[in-house]
Amino acid sequence: MLEAVKYLIGAAGASGFGSKSTAEQVTEACPDLRSITAIITGATSGIGAETARILAKRGAKLILPARNPKAAEETKARIVTEFPDSDIVVMALDLSSLSSVRTFVSEFKSMDLPLNLLINNAGKFSHDHSLSEDGIEMTFATNYLGHFLLTKLLLKKMIETAELTGIQGRIVNVSSSVHSWFSGDAIRYLELITKEKRSYNATRAYALSKLANVLHTMELAVKLKESGANVTANCIHPGVVRTRLTRDREGFVTDLMFFLASKLLKTISQAAATTCYVATHPRLKEVSGKYFADCNEAKASKLASNTQEATRLWLASEAITAERFRFQNHLLF
């Protein structure tokens, strides 16, 4: 009850920020990001677009990969209109396609740019069952697996950039408190909904993808620490906000639901605050493997904190993203 009251009134936590803090407010302590190059997925609308706007305002060079380059160009145009000195590059990327991820990384590397910051923000909620071109359930493929491969392929560049510049690299995975809604065997359920349409539940599939984001972060942070890399990895829950994630279910019922819950919803700027805080705030130097909500460290679910499950998912993800892998013909356990 007390936590709910704190959320509603926007009470500040240990960080000095709370649920009502905006992305602009939390980045005031780091106003100059001109030495930072950042990749932000899902920046064509909503939280991602606001994250891009704020980082551009602070001077960061932005790479905006998008499945719809036209929408990304529109985001770029809006930002440049507001901040004419912004340095923004739009590139093509479909996170549900492993070949598209590989092509994007290859093209990015050919530009010979540094990479200080990777924000894995893009998200999808598939109401209807569908498979990616690689044969993976679409929500999992887009929200988690594409980001897993993207991070893996960019990690060397991030480590090299940190070594050359002395600036600690940061990886931010945007998850959700919905990750706690999933229980059971994650890999078995993924295999089930990939092979059997009748077992598909859209909400549970979404929760699975967000659980995977948290588990990925935890295992990645361990591996980064073991390797001595000057790169951190953290994940965040942005809060409840109406974005284009609900675009497949616009209508009276959806509108009524969000109206009734309006006191619990964040504005887009408030929802982008935790991402921007974790991505930029000086206080979080050396902080890694943590889960944040409302710009403060929070507790992930018991399953999301299970190190054995994190390792198990990592190994399965390595197998699925192998170039010659075909999900339908393999068992992951």
Side-chain angles (χ1 to χ4, degrees):
M1 182 64 179
L2 178 59
E3 291 302 315
V5 172
K6 287 182 178 179
Y7 175 87
L8 289 172
I9 65 175
S15 69
F17 303 111
S19 63
K20 302 301 183 184
S21 299
T22 66
E24 188 154 355
Q25 290 170 340
V26 303
T27 55
E28 287 176 352
C30 48
D32 188 354
L33 297 178
R34 284 176 293 180
S35 60
I36 299 298
T37 298
I39 292 177
I40 309 172
T41 67
T44 57
S45 65
I47 296 169
E50 177 66 4
T51 299
R53 187 185 78 85
I54 292 300
L55 294 186
K57 178 178 181 178
R58 302 306 184 195
K61 178 182 179 68
L62 304 181
I63 310 297
L64 305 185
R67 184 173 57 85
N68 183 348
K70 181 181 177 181
E73 289 287 358
E74 291 171 354
T75 297
K76 174 182 175 179
R78 289 192 296 270
I79 294 173
V80 171
T81 297
E82 188 174 2
F83 309 114
D85 294 332
S86 299
D87 188 354
I88 303 174
V89 178
V90 170
M91 298 178 67
L93 171 62
D94 180 353
L95 281 161
S96 71
S97 164
L98 299 180
S99 65
S100 178
V101 173
R102 291 188 176 93
T103 298
F104 166 79
V105 172
S106 178
E107 292 176 351
F108 173 75
K109 288 182 177 179
S110 72
M111 298 166 66
D112 198 27
L113 292 172
L115 182 58
N116 308 91
L117 176 59
L118 173 61
I119 300 179
N120 292 319
N121 165 82
K124 180 180 181 67
F125 188 108
S126 295
H127 292 273
D128 300 314
H129 181 269
S130 62
L131 300 180
S132 72
E133 67 180 33
D134 302 291
I136 309 298
E137 188 280 316
M138 186 61 78
T139 298
F140 189 86
T142 304
N143 293 359
Y144 167 69
L145 201 61
H147 282 128
F148 173 86
L149 181 60
L150 179 68
T151 303
K152 175 184 174 181
L153 297 180
L154 289 173
L155 203 53
K156 183 179 178 181
K157 170 61 71 173
M158 294 195 71
I159 293 171
E160 290 174 349
T161 299
E163 289 176 347
L164 288 171
T165 63
I167 300 172
Q168 189 169 70
R170 297 190 185 188
I171 298 168
V172 182
N173 289 331
V174 177
S175 181
S176 168
S177 61
V178 174
H179 81 270
S180 64
W181 296 6
F182 185 89
S183 60
D185 189 315
I187 296 174
R188 285 182 181 273
Y189 183 65
L190 171 62
E191 191 162 44
L192 186 66
I193 60 177
T194 290
K195 293 182 175 181
E196 299 181 16
K197 180 178 180 180
R198 62 184 176 84
S199 300
Y200 182 74
N201 177 284
T203 300
R204 194 172 187 218
Y206 182 75
L208 169 63
S209 73
K210 291 302 170 180
L211 169 66
N213 291 148
V214 184
L215 290 171
H216 174 220
T217 304
M218 303 309 168
E219 185 71 6
L220 177 59
V222 170
K223 292 184 179 302
L224 287 168
K225 183 177 181 180
E226 289 176 346
S227 70
N230 189 24
V231 178
T232 63
N234 293 289
C235 59
I236 69 106
H237 164 54
V240 184
V241 58
R242 187 173 191 180
T243 69
R244 290 184 63 202
L245 196 66
T246 62
R247 59 185 173 273
D248 293 338
R249 285 294 183 270
E250 296 298 328
F252 175 76
V253 174
T254 302
D255 291 340
L256 178 62
M257 178 184 70
F258 274 93
F259 172 76
L260 294 174
S262 61
K263 295 300 182 183
L264 299 176
L265 297 180
K266 289 186 175 185
T267 65
I268 293 294
S269 186
Q270 290 169 346
T274 305
T275 300
C276 290
Y277 173 73
V278 174
T280 67
H281 205 284
R283 183 183 291 117
L284 295 186
K285 186 178 181 181
E286 308 299 340
V287 175
S288 192
K290 304 298 183 182
Y291 176 76
F292 290 83
D294 300 328
C295 301
N296 286 276
E297 189 176 333
K299 189 174 182 179
S301 72
K302 183 177 180 180
L303 181 56
S305 304
N306 187 314
T307 57
Q308 291 182 328
E309 283 302 305
T311 300
R312 184 167 173 253
L313 177 65
W314 183 284
L315 293 174
S317 302
E318 288 272 22
I320 297 172
T321 55
E323 291 194 60
R324 295 184 180 181
F325 183 84
R326 290 295 179 268
F327 188 91
Q328 297 93 328
N329 299 324
H330 287 67
L331 293 178
L332 301 178
F333 45 86

